[in-house]
Amino acid sequence: MIILSCNNISKSFGIDLILNNINFNINKGEKVGLVGANGAGKSTLFKILTNQLPYDSGELYIAKSTTIGYLEQNAILDEDCTIMDVCLTIFENLIKMEQNLRDLETKIAELSNNEKESAVLEDTMHKYSLLLEEFNERNGYGFRSEIRGILKGLGFLEEEFEQPIYQLSGGQKTRVALAKLLLIHPDILLLDEPTNHLDIEAVQWLEGFLRDYDGTIFMISHDRYFLDQMCNRILEIEHKTLNSYNGNFSTFIKKKKIMLEQKMKEYINQQKEIDKRKDIVRKLKQHGTEKLMNRAKSHEKKLEKIEEIEAPIISKDIPIMHFETQTKSGNDVLSIKDLSKSFDDNLLFKNVNLDIYKGERVALIGPNGIGKSTLFKIILDELKPNNGNVHLGHNVFTGYYDQEQKNLDNNKTVIDEIWDENTKFTQTKVRTLLGSFLFKGDDVFKIVGSLSGGEKGRLSMLKLILSKSNFILLDEPTNHLDIESKEVLEEALLNYNGTTFFISHDRYFLNKLATKVIEITPQGTETFLGNYDYYIEKKKEKLLLNKSEDKAEKTKTQIKEEKRKEKEKRESQKAIIKTQKKIEAEILELEEKISQLEDLMCQEEIYSNPEKSKEVHQETVDLKNKLTSLYSEWENLLDC
């Protein structure tokens, strides 16, 4: 069943055509990825689908009554609100309805004491009855529990619910924005770069959640690993048009290559046929006889009827550049011993110990907020540690890549940005270097300030590699880069003979580049001599080994004690389950009693009798308070 369809959708901004005759269908329950270079029009298409932008021509079909939830790249949240407040905004109508019910209850109690207002009381009771029914149908008594459940599922602790948004990291804000979407539970989830700023653990959680999501998912992502895990179809926007490929991202790459080769073959064969016919026409005309001239005209008419195949646009191979450092460092590049850092009473890390040697490509991984960027700033001498030592080796010159590209001059042209600091290079060499970083043709004369984030990232990286630095520190270098740009960056770093130390949550990037992985935790660091897959493998092996060692070292007394504790735990769990069932039964009984009392309030013999009305009202309030307390007790048991 088609839930979303675009038919010949086109969109221009002024004279710039962005999307041209876009056609695709998405079926209910599909998980579809949208890929393309930065600036190709992916986010523009999403904004058209959500009515944030109009389209110039074509038809957009969204199945009737379909709800759409949109997670933007930079979701805007009220910075002064708390996490819970942001989630409660989804239920503003229910909160108002709840207040209206309380007001009506107060009014009913007042009117019950005045026999002259019986008509008004009857009308009020009717309004109350209708509103109460709607409130129950819309989960009025359960929405706060639903919020708490989803926030806990997304990794927030109960004590964090009242934390203001401005205190959150980028990943936490993304999770709050996602929580809002889940509370709405739209039929179609539109996700624009959902893994940006998420740590590896959060991305893995998101993958698991989205696999189980029963709605339709349409996502923009440059995360190749994520697309492989999630998608059953890939749509690509390229040269203003869109093509669809069944399968995940890896399958798309293979199919696209085969398709381009086939199109090129068809184009070459047709051009040969056209040239052959043109040659026949030329030869016929050369003889000059009337009969042959008529035959030439016949061939020309046939030529005019041929629908020429457009030559497929195939990206030219980017030249692989080998980047040599201007100054060779010693073998020992960086040594850190017993480093710790705190901000006031907030301990980020301690016992940080690591060594980096010439030519290594070292990945620093760890959860958001652990202090990875802070460690880089300590290495660069921008921050001072509380304890420990940082020692740079002989002839080591550091360079730093951050996401703000502070090493660029926004007033220069692209070519001058490189040439001004490398005056010995010829123009040809500068342009070749820029070409290897995807700056082609007139792109080299663009003003740096007018470049996109991805373009600035590529230029900043090239400038850094060509600088005096022979030890470069990279903080999330693949963020906001499209897939082609990531591949260029990977090749450049693989062919760089200096030393690199980088922070990244891109598992594909980690696997391709890292020769060493350093994991940082609040307790210290651990080093793994391999890429990310090797790190995961060794972590699993270590976990199994620890379990085996623990088992081997246990005495009979310890084993007996563990069995006793396990038995106590099982008995405790049984008791908890028994208590849960008892509370659930009480909740059902209370809800039934409350429903009966609310029905009583709507009967004339009750609301017309002030004493009985007041008695029923008070009993209802008492039962509701008890119900709230039971729900709270039941939720606490879920965490046990």
Side-chain angles (χ1 to χ4, degrees):
M1 173 187 167
I2 294 174
I3 195 169
L4 173 65
S5 176
C6 283
N7 183 29
N8 292 326
I9 293 287
S10 293
K11 175 64 182 177
S12 298
F13 290 107
I15 61 171
D16 294 326
L17 179 64
I18 305 300
L19 302 173
N20 185 31
N21 293 328
I22 299 295
N23 291 282
F24 67 89
N25 299 320
I26 293 179
N27 295 315
K28 188 175 181 180
E30 272 196 298
K31 293 179 172 63
V32 181
L34 181 63
V35 301
N38 285 338
K42 303 184 296 297
S43 295
T44 298
L45 178 59
F46 268 28
K47 284 180 166 60
I48 287 172
L49 298 179
T50 53
N51 289 321
Q52 294 183 41
L53 280 176
Y55 49 95
D56 301 329
S57 59
E59 295 178 348
L60 171 62
Y61 165 78
I62 298 173
K64 192 175 180 182
S65 302
T66 298
T67 54
I68 295 179
Y70 181 28
L71 180 69
E72 300 183 66
Q73 281 190 41
N74 299 299
I76 298 173
L77 302 171
D78 189 333
E79 294 286 313
D80 294 323
C81 282
T82 65
I83 293 172
M84 178 59 78
D85 289 339
V86 168
C87 293
L88 284 171
T89 59
I90 303 300
F91 301 100
E92 283 180 350
N93 290 335
L94 272 179
I95 292 168
K96 288 178 182 176
M97 197 181 294
E98 187 177 39
Q99 185 57 50
N100 288 340
L101 284 170
R102 300 293 83 80
D103 293 343
L104 286 172
E105 287 171 359
T106 302
K107 188 175 181 181
I108 288 166
E110 291 172 355
L111 290 171
S112 297
N113 296 319
N114 191 341
E115 295 181 4
K116 296 179 181 179
E117 299 290 346
S118 59
V120 178
L121 178 60
E122 188 172 352
D123 181 58
T124 305
M125 290 301 304
H126 181 65
K127 288 179 182 177
Y128 179 81
S129 178
L130 293 175
L131 190 62
L132 183 65
E133 186 178 352
E134 184 183 355
F135 188 68
N136 279 323
E137 286 176 356
R138 293 172 62 179
N139 193 31
Y141 290 113
F143 71 89
R144 287 185 175 83
S145 296
E146 186 182 358
I147 291 173
R148 287 194 291 271
I150 285 178
L151 286 175
K152 286 180 180 179
L154 286 168
F156 289 106
L157 302 174
E158 188 98 35
E159 54 266 29
E160 293 176 321
F161 293 176
E162 299 305 320
Q163 190 173 354
I165 298 299
Y166 70 83
Q167 291 182 357
L168 304 183
S169 67
Q172 288 173 314
K173 288 178 181 178
T174 300
R175 280 189 283 149
V176 173
L178 185 58
K180 285 183 67 178
L181 281 187
L182 302 186
L183 290 164
I184 298 168
H185 203 282
D187 300 311
I188 301 176
L189 270 176
L190 297 180
L191 307 175
D192 194 345
E193 296 292 357
T195 63
N196 267 9
H197 306 296
L198 294 184
D199 58 27
I200 291 169
E201 189 178 350
V203 173
Q204 288 171 337
W205 178 89
L206 183 60
E207 285 173 353
F209 172 81
L210 293 179
R211 281 194 206 99
D212 297 333
Y213 191 74
D214 59 0
T216 303
I217 301 173
F218 192 18
M219 67 188 84
I220 296 169
S221 183
H222 293 131
D223 187 331
R224 295 158 288 182
Y225 197 103
F226 183 74
L227 289 169
D228 265 348
Q229 296 292 310
M230 294 306 310
C231 298
N232 52 33
R233 187 151 61 101
I234 299 291
L235 305 182
E236 182 190 30
I237 297 179
E238 188 177 38
H239 310 302
K240 304 175 180 57
T241 60
L242 182 143
N243 288 304
S244 176
Y245 303 83
N246 289 328
N248 65 8
F249 181 78
S250 294
T251 304
F252 147 70
I253 291 296
K254 293 173 186 174
K255 286 186 174 181
K256 184 182 177 184
K257 185 180 179 182
I258 293 169
M259 183 199 72
L260 286 173
E261 288 172 353
Q262 182 62 33
K263 281 189 174 181
M264 181 57 76
K265 188 176 179 180
E266 290 172 2
Y267 170 75
I268 290 169
N269 288 339
Q270 188 187 61
Q271 288 300 307
K272 286 179 180 177
E273 181 64 25
I274 289 170
D275 290 342
K276 184 179 176 182
R277 286 180 180 271
K278 285 180 178 178
D279 191 48
I280 291 170
V281 169
R282 181 179 55 77
K283 287 178 180 178
L284 289 171
K285 284 182 176 180
Q286 281 177 350
H287 289 82
T289 66
E290 184 178 349
K291 185 178 180 180
L292 292 177
M293 288 295 290
N294 287 334
R295 285 179 66 185
K297 287 179 182 178
S298 176
H299 278 285
E300 283 180 330
K301 286 180 181 178
K302 288 179 181 178
L303 271 171
E304 288 172 4
K305 291 179 181 179
I306 293 175
E307 285 189 26
E308 285 200 44
I309 299 169
E310 288 187 19
I313 302 171
I314 300 176
S315 299
K316 294 180 180 178
D317 290 335
I318 303 299
I320 296 174
M321 307 297 294
H322 292 270
F323 295 97
E324 299 286 332
T325 54
Q326 295 179 30
T327 305
K328 306 300 180 187
S329 71
N331 186 57
D332 298 331
V333 173
L334 174 68
S335 179
I336 294 178
K337 302 297 180 189
D338 300 324
L339 201 73
S340 66
K341 179 61 182 176
S342 300
F343 289 102
D344 297 324
D345 295 329
N346 180 27
L347 175 68
L348 284 181
F349 52 74
K350 62 180 180 180
N351 300 328
V352 170
N353 292 277
L354 61 91
D355 294 291
I356 295 176
Y357 303 102
K358 181 181 176 182
E360 286 189 318
R361 297 188 298 272
V362 183
L364 180 66
I365 64 173
N368 283 343
I370 195 65
K372 298 185 296 294
S373 296
T374 300
L375 178 59
F376 271 24
K377 288 176 181 176
I378 291 172
I379 294 168
L380 295 165
D381 203 26
E382 293 178 11
L383 284 175
K384 297 296 180 185
N386 296 95
N387 294 292
N389 298 302
V390 175
H391 177 70
L392 291 171
H394 178 65
N395 271 349
V396 172
F397 298 95
T398 59
Y400 181 48
Y401 174 95
D402 65 359
Q403 294 175 51
E404 296 175 11
Q405 286 89 43
K406 293 176 182 175
N407 65 334
L408 299 179
D409 186 338
N410 286 327
N411 298 314
K412 288 185 179 181
T413 62
V414 169
I415 192 169
D416 287 340
E417 186 69 27
I418 300 300
W419 210 351
D420 285 354
E421 294 189 14
N422 299 274
T423 53
K424 293 181 180 179
F425 290 175
T426 63
Q427 186 184 55
T428 301
K429 182 169 183 178
V430 174
R431 296 197 67 156
T432 301
L433 287 165
L434 286 167
S436 71
F437 275 67
L438 304 180
F439 292 101
K440 305 170 187 175
D442 290 341
D443 288 347
V444 302
F445 301 114
K446 286 182 178 179
I447 300 298
V448 172
S450 69
L451 300 179
S452 68
E455 288 172 327
K456 283 185 176 180
R458 295 200 307 269
L459 184 62
S460 179
M461 184 63 66
L462 175 58
K463 187 175 179 182
L464 184 60
I465 288 174
L466 294 173
S467 71
K468 186 183 177 182
S469 305
N470 51 29
F471 177 40
I472 55 178
L473 288 77
L474 315 173
D475 193 347
E476 295 290 356
T478 61
N479 265 10
H480 306 297
L481 293 185
D482 58 31
I483 290 164
E484 188 177 16
S485 296
K486 287 182 180 182
E487 290 172 349
V488 166
L489 174 59
E490 286 162 2
E491 287 304 317
L493 293 175
L494 284 169
N495 291 286
Y496 173 62
N497 75 334
T499 307
T500 51
F501 190 20
F502 58 91
I503 298 167
S504 181
H505 294 128
D506 186 330
R507 292 164 291 177
Y508 192 99
F509 184 80
L510 288 168
N511 268 337
K512 192 167 182 179
L513 257 76
T515 58
K516 180 191 288 184
V517 174
I518 295 174
E519 181 185 29
I520 183 169
T521 68
Q523 285 70 44
T525 51
E526 189 171 1
T527 299
F528 301 83
L529 301 176
N531 65 3
Y532 180 72
D533 280 347
Y534 178 84
Y535 154 77
I536 291 294
E537 182 185 337
K538 288 300 174 184
K539 290 284 282 187
K540 288 178 180 176
E541 285 180 8
K542 187 176 179 182
L543 186 64
L544 290 171
L545 183 63
N546 287 341
K547 285 183 178 179
S548 299
E549 288 176 351
D550 288 345
K551 195 171 183 180
E553 290 175 4
K554 288 171 189 172
T555 63
K556 288 182 179 180
T557 305
Q558 287 174 321
I559 292 170
K560 189 176 179 181
E561 179 65 16
E562 281 189 2
K563 285 182 178 179
R564 184 187 67 78
K565 287 181 179 179
E566 285 177 9
K567 186 179 179 182
E568 285 181 358
K569 188 177 180 182
R570 285 196 301 271
E571 289 174 353
S572 175
Q573 285 297 115
K574 284 180 183 178
I576 289 169
I577 292 168
K578 188 176 179 181
T579 306
Q580 281 179 327
K581 288 181 178 179
K582 183 182 177 184
I583 292 173
E584 286 167 4
E586 287 182 39
I587 287 171
L588 288 172
E589 187 180 343
L590 279 178
E591 287 177 339
E592 181 62 32
K593 284 182 180 178
I594 290 168
S595 178
Q596 290 172 0
L597 289 170
E598 286 169 342
D599 288 340
L600 277 176
M601 286 289 285
C602 297
Q603 294 177 13
E604 185 179 356
E605 62 267 28
I606 300 299
Y607 68 72
S608 60
N609 186 321
E611 288 185 9
K612 286 185 177 180
S613 174
K614 188 175 181 180
E615 182 184 333
V616 171
H617 173 70
Q618 187 57 49
E619 188 178 354
T620 303
V621 171
D622 292 342
L623 288 178
K624 283 181 179 179
N625 289 335
K626 189 175 179 182
L627 183 63
T628 301
S629 177
L630 282 173
Y631 265 120
S632 179
E633 189 178 344
W634 181 76
E635 284 175 11
N636 290 334
L637 286 172
L638 290 177
D639 295 329
C640 295

